[in-house]
Amino acid sequence: MNTNDIVAQIDEQISRLLQARNILSGIAFKGTAGGGITSGGAKLARRRMSAEGRARIAKAQEARWAKIKKAAQK
């Protein structure tokens, strides 16, 4: 295990502990989309995307680009 993995795990644990602390102390989370910030100022853990999900999105985007390029050639 390299140091970057260890630091990432520590950051995740800190994030979970801060969330628990804020809940217990009565501080509500703001309803922000994607990696928002709590009202206490601590960052929430970011969501991770699987390789399959990333590949699906890339394939769909390539199809959209191909459709636009095909329409532009007509």
Side-chain angles (χ1 to χ4, degrees), residues 2-27:
N2 67 32
T3 56
N4 289 337
D5 292 338
I6 294 170
V7 170
Q9 286 181 352
I10 290 171
D11 288 342
E12 288 175 16
Q13 289 178 355
I14 289 171
S15 178
R16 284 192 299 266
L17 289 171
L18 286 172
Q19 288 175 3
R21 180 184 178 276
N22 288 338
I23 289 169
L24 291 173
S25 65
I27 298 174

Side-chain angles (χ1 to χ4, degrees), residues 26-42:
I27 298 174
F29 292 105
K30 291 183 179 179
T32 58
I37 304 224
T38 64
S39 59

